[in-house]
Amino acid sequence: GKNDFASRQFQKKMKLYKKYPNLNFVAPSKWLVECAKNSSLTKNHKVFHIPNVLTVKSFYQINKKIAKRILNIPTDKKIILFGAQGAINNPYKGFEYLLEALNLLAKDKQVDNDKIQLLIFGSSYNEQIAKMLPFETRFVGFVHDEITLNLLYNAADVFCIPSLAENFANTILEAVHCQTPIVGFDIGGIGDVVCDKTGYLAKAKNEQDFANGIKSV
Protein backbone atom coordinates (compact mmCIF):
# COMPACT_ATOMS: atom_id res chain seq x y z
CA GLY A 1 0.00 0.00 0.00
CA LYS A 2 1.03 3.57 -0.68
CA ASN A 3 0.93 4.67 2.95
CA ASP A 4 2.00 1.52 4.79
CA PHE A 5 5.17 1.40 6.89
CA ALA A 6 7.32 -0.38 4.27
CA SER A 7 6.35 2.11 1.59
CA ARG A 8 7.08 5.11 3.82
CA GLN A 9 10.47 3.65 4.75
CA PHE A 10 11.28 3.03 1.09
CA GLN A 11 10.47 6.63 0.10
CA LYS A 12 12.45 7.98 3.05
CA LYS A 13 15.53 5.95 2.08
CA MET A 14 15.18 6.81 -1.61
CA LYS A 15 15.15 10.51 -0.77
CA LEU A 16 18.18 10.15 1.51
CA TYR A 17 20.25 8.04 -0.91
CA LYS A 18 19.62 10.42 -3.83
CA LYS A 19 20.92 13.24 -1.67
CA TYR A 20 24.37 11.56 -1.48
CA PRO A 21 25.55 10.27 -4.90
CA ASN A 22 28.92 9.26 -3.38
CA LEU A 23 27.24 6.83 -0.96
CA ASN A 24 28.73 3.31 -1.26
CA PHE A 25 27.45 -0.02 0.05
CA VAL A 26 29.29 -3.11 1.30
CA ALA A 27 27.88 -6.64 1.49
CA PRO A 28 29.53 -9.80 2.90
CA SER A 29 28.12 -12.25 0.33
CA LYS A 30 27.99 -12.33 -3.47
CA TRP A 31 24.27 -13.05 -3.25
CA LEU A 32 23.61 -9.88 -1.24
CA VAL A 33 25.80 -7.85 -3.61
CA GLU A 34 23.56 -8.94 -6.50
CA CYS A 35 20.46 -8.11 -4.45
CA ALA A 36 21.83 -4.60 -3.84
CA LYS A 37 22.75 -4.12 -7.50
CA ASN A 38 19.19 -5.00 -8.51
CA SER A 39 17.49 -3.00 -5.78
CA SER A 40 15.68 0.20 -6.74
CA LEU A 41 17.25 1.83 -3.70
CA THR A 42 20.89 0.95 -4.29
CA LYS A 43 21.32 0.07 -7.98
CA ASN A 44 22.66 3.55 -8.80
CA HIS A 45 25.38 3.34 -6.13
CA LYS A 46 28.62 1.39 -5.95
CA VAL A 47 28.34 -1.94 -4.13
CA PHE A 48 31.44 -3.73 -2.85
CA HIS A 49 31.88 -7.35 -1.81
CA ILE A 50 33.88 -7.78 1.42
CA PRO A 51 33.36 -11.22 3.03
CA ASN A 52 33.14 -11.75 6.78
CA VAL A 53 36.36 -12.67 8.52
CA LEU A 54 37.26 -14.59 11.65
CA THR A 55 40.24 -14.98 13.93
CA VAL A 56 42.20 -17.94 12.56
CA LYS A 57 43.86 -18.40 15.96
CA SER A 58 40.48 -19.42 17.37
CA PHE A 59 39.48 -21.99 14.73
CA TYR A 60 41.97 -24.54 13.45
CA GLN A 61 42.25 -28.26 12.74
CA ILE A 62 43.16 -30.68 15.51
CA ASN A 63 43.15 -34.48 15.67
CA LYS A 64 39.53 -35.65 15.36
CA LYS A 65 39.87 -38.51 17.83
CA ILE A 66 41.42 -36.22 20.44
CA ALA A 67 38.57 -33.70 20.01
CA LYS A 68 36.03 -36.50 20.46
CA ARG A 69 37.72 -37.83 23.58
CA ILE A 70 37.84 -34.37 25.20
CA LEU A 71 34.10 -33.95 24.57
CA ASN A 72 33.36 -37.53 25.67
CA ILE A 73 32.10 -38.49 22.20
CA PRO A 74 32.54 -42.09 20.93
CA THR A 75 35.53 -42.22 18.59
CA ASP A 76 34.01 -45.06 16.56
CA LYS A 77 30.94 -43.06 15.50
CA LYS A 78 30.35 -40.64 12.65
CA ILE A 79 29.30 -37.29 14.06
CA ILE A 80 26.77 -35.05 12.29
CA LEU A 81 26.91 -31.51 13.71
CA PHE A 82 24.07 -29.01 13.51
CA GLY A 83 23.86 -25.57 15.12
CA ALA A 84 20.75 -23.52 15.85
CA GLN A 85 21.01 -20.71 18.36
CA GLY A 86 17.82 -20.40 20.37
CA ALA A 87 14.74 -22.23 19.08
CA ILE A 88 15.70 -25.19 16.95
CA ASN A 89 12.28 -25.10 15.25
CA ASN A 90 12.91 -21.61 13.83
CA PRO A 91 11.59 -22.07 10.24
CA TYR A 92 14.54 -20.16 8.77
CA LYS A 93 16.97 -22.70 10.22
CA GLY A 94 15.51 -25.41 7.97
CA PHE A 95 15.43 -28.09 10.65
CA GLU A 96 12.43 -29.80 9.03
CA TYR A 97 14.52 -30.33 5.89
CA LEU A 98 17.43 -31.70 7.93
CA LEU A 99 15.04 -34.03 9.77
CA GLU A 100 13.67 -35.41 6.50
CA ALA A 101 17.20 -35.78 5.09
CA LEU A 102 18.27 -37.71 8.20
CA ASN A 103 15.22 -39.97 7.94
CA LEU A 104 16.13 -40.70 4.31
CA LEU A 105 19.71 -41.41 5.38
CA ALA A 106 18.50 -43.77 8.12
CA LYS A 107 16.57 -45.80 5.52
CA ASP A 108 19.66 -46.21 3.36
CA LYS A 109 20.78 -49.83 3.62
CA GLN A 110 24.42 -48.80 3.15
CA VAL A 111 24.30 -46.67 6.31
CA ASP A 112 24.90 -48.19 9.75
CA ASN A 113 22.52 -46.20 11.96
CA ASP A 114 24.20 -47.39 15.16
CA LYS A 115 27.45 -45.77 14.04
CA ILE A 116 25.97 -42.28 13.70
CA GLN A 117 25.45 -39.64 16.38
CA LEU A 118 23.80 -36.25 15.88
CA LEU A 119 25.30 -33.36 17.84
CA ILE A 120 23.21 -30.19 18.26
CA PHE A 121 24.70 -27.01 19.71
CA GLY A 122 22.96 -23.72 20.46
CA SER A 123 19.79 -25.38 21.77
CA SER A 124 18.88 -27.09 25.02
CA TYR A 125 17.49 -30.62 25.23
CA ASN A 126 14.10 -31.00 23.57
CA GLU A 127 12.41 -34.34 24.21
CA GLN A 128 9.90 -33.92 21.39
CA ILE A 129 12.62 -33.24 18.82
CA ALA A 130 14.87 -35.99 20.21
CA LYS A 131 12.09 -38.55 19.64
CA MET A 132 11.68 -37.39 16.03
CA LEU A 133 15.33 -37.93 15.14
CA PRO A 134 16.37 -41.32 13.71
CA PHE A 135 19.86 -41.29 15.24
CA GLU A 136 21.26 -41.06 18.74
CA THR A 137 21.25 -37.34 19.58
CA ARG A 138 23.15 -35.19 22.03
CA PHE A 139 22.13 -31.60 22.80
CA VAL A 140 25.16 -29.52 23.75
CA GLY A 141 23.24 -26.33 24.57
CA PHE A 142 24.58 -22.82 24.07
CA VAL A 143 28.36 -22.75 23.64
CA HIS A 144 29.91 -19.78 25.46
CA ASP A 145 33.54 -20.09 24.40
CA GLU A 146 35.47 -20.56 21.16
CA ILE A 147 37.66 -23.34 22.57
CA THR A 148 34.64 -25.64 23.01
CA LEU A 149 33.21 -24.56 19.67
CA ASN A 150 36.51 -25.36 17.95
CA LEU A 151 36.46 -28.81 19.57
CA LEU A 152 32.90 -29.41 18.33
CA TYR A 153 33.78 -28.60 14.73
CA ASN A 154 36.84 -30.84 14.90
CA ALA A 155 34.91 -33.70 16.51
CA ALA A 156 32.32 -33.58 13.71
CA ASP A 157 32.63 -35.60 10.51
CA VAL A 158 30.18 -33.27 8.77
CA PHE A 159 28.62 -29.90 9.63
CA CYS A 160 25.07 -29.38 8.35
CA ILE A 161 23.57 -25.97 7.61
CA PRO A 162 20.06 -26.46 6.14
CA SER A 163 19.19 -22.75 6.46
CA LEU A 164 16.50 -21.37 4.17
CA ALA A 165 17.62 -17.76 4.64
CA GLU A 166 21.32 -17.09 5.09
CA ASN A 167 23.46 -14.11 4.15
CA PHE A 168 26.96 -15.25 5.07
CA ALA A 169 27.09 -17.57 8.08
CA ASN A 170 30.16 -17.38 10.29
CA THR A 171 29.58 -21.02 11.24
CA ILE A 172 30.56 -22.23 7.76
CA LEU A 173 33.78 -20.19 7.94
CA GLU A 174 34.54 -21.70 11.33
CA ALA A 175 33.92 -25.24 10.07
CA VAL A 176 36.10 -24.67 6.99
CA HIS A 177 39.02 -23.53 9.14
CA CYS A 178 38.67 -26.75 11.14
CA GLN A 179 38.78 -28.75 7.86
CA THR A 180 35.31 -30.15 8.58
CA PRO A 181 33.21 -30.75 5.43
CA ILE A 182 29.94 -28.81 5.20
CA VAL A 183 26.59 -29.71 3.67
CA GLY A 184 24.24 -26.83 2.92
CA PHE A 185 21.57 -25.70 0.52
CA ASP A 186 22.43 -23.48 -2.42
CA ILE A 187 20.70 -20.54 -0.78
CA GLY A 188 21.89 -17.00 -0.12
CA GLY A 189 25.57 -16.71 0.69
CA ILE A 190 26.16 -20.39 1.57
CA GLY A 191 27.53 -21.09 -1.90
CA ASP A 192 30.28 -18.50 -1.34
CA VAL A 193 32.06 -21.03 0.88
CA VAL A 194 30.50 -24.46 0.31
CA CYS A 195 31.73 -26.20 -2.84
CA ASP A 196 33.30 -29.53 -3.87
CA LYS A 197 36.50 -28.66 -2.00
CA THR A 198 34.77 -27.77 1.27
CA GLY A 199 31.76 -30.08 1.26
CA TYR A 200 28.52 -30.48 -0.68
CA LEU A 201 26.14 -27.80 -1.96
CA ALA A 202 22.68 -29.36 -2.18
CA LYS A 203 19.82 -28.15 -4.35
CA ALA A 204 17.62 -25.67 -2.47
CA LYS A 205 14.96 -27.34 -0.29
CA ASN A 206 15.80 -30.78 -1.69
CA GLU A 207 15.93 -33.22 1.24
CA GLN A 208 17.14 -36.13 -0.89
CA ASP A 209 20.06 -34.15 -2.26
CA PHE A 210 20.90 -33.01 1.27
CA ALA A 211 20.91 -36.64 2.41
CA ASN A 212 23.13 -37.52 -0.56
CA GLY A 213 25.52 -34.76 0.54
CA ILE A 214 25.79 -36.07 4.09
CA LYS A 215 26.43 -39.58 2.83
CA SER A 216 29.01 -38.50 0.24
CA VAL A 217 31.17 -36.48 2.62
Side-chain angles (χ1 to χ4, degrees):
K2 184 178 178 181
N3 295 313
D4 66 21
F5 180 75
S7 180
R8 294 198 307 271
Q9 285 290 304
F10 181 90
Q11 296 302 329
K12 188 175 181 180
K13 289 178 181 178
M14 181 70 81
K15 185 177 178 180
L16 179 67
Y17 295 174
K18 283 183 177 179
K19 189 177 178 180
Y20 300 101
N22 62 335
L23 188 63
N24 299 329
F25 292 86
V26 174
S29 71
K30 294 174 184 176
W31 165 73
L32 199 56
V33 166
E34 290 305 311
C35 288
K37 286 181 177 179
N38 292 317
S39 168
S40 298
L41 284 174
T42 52
K43 66 181 181 181
N44 295 319
H45 295 269
K46 288 183 178 179
V47 183
F48 296 94
H49 175 220
I50 303 178
N52 290 343
V53 297
L54 57 79
T55 306
V56 293
K57 290 182 180 179
S58 299
F59 296 96
Y60 50 88
Q61 186 179 23
I62 62 175
N63 184 282
K64 199 166 288 294
K65 285 188 176 182
I66 292 174
K68 287 181 178 179
R69 284 171 184 155
I70 292 172
L71 295 173
N72 196 27
I73 295 171
T75 57
D76 62 337
K77 291 195 175 186
K78 295 291 184 183
I79 305 300
I80 299 173
L81 182 66
F82 169 68
Q85 189 172 344
I88 196 171
N89 52 4
N90 181 331
Y92 295 112
K93 294 297 181 183
F95 179 73
E96 61 179 300
Y97 290 91
L98 177 63
L99 177 61
E100 184 57 32
L102 293 174
N103 283 326
L104 289 169
L105 197 67
K107 294 174 184 176
D108 192 320
K109 293 181 180 180
Q110 294 180 327
V111 175
D112 186 350
N113 293 358
D114 293 330
K115 291 292 184 180
I116 295 177
Q117 185 180 91
L118 181 63
L119 212 59
I120 301 175
F121 69 93
S123 295
S124 301
Y125 176 75
N126 185 313
E127 185 178 3
Q128 182 182 0
I129 289 174
K131 288 180 178 179
M132 294 165 61
L133 293 161
F135 304 117
E136 178 189 349
T137 305
R138 177 176 167 184
F139 290 82
V140 181
F142 185 78
V143 180
H144 296 273
D145 63 283
E146 291 180 340
I147 294 173
T148 304
L149 194 55
N150 188 61
L151 285 169
L152 283 170
Y153 286 122
N154 277 283
D157 294 281
V158 57
F159 173 63
C160 293
I161 180 165
S163 300
L164 305 182
E166 198 69 67
N167 175 24
F168 191 91
N170 283 342
T171 52
I172 54 179
L173 274 185
E174 293 162 358
V176 162
H177 276 270
C178 296
Q179 302 296 310
T180 299
I182 306 157
V183 176
F185 286 130
D186 189 7
I187 288 176
I190 295 175
D192 282 16
V193 178
V194 182
C195 61
D196 291 343
K197 291 182 179 179
T198 58
Y200 188 97
L201 195 63
K203 296 173 185 175
K205 298 183 180 182
N206 188 318
E207 301 98 329
Q208 184 62 67
D209 200 26
F210 203 96
N212 293 342
I214 297 173
K215 183 180 177 182
S216 69
V217 300

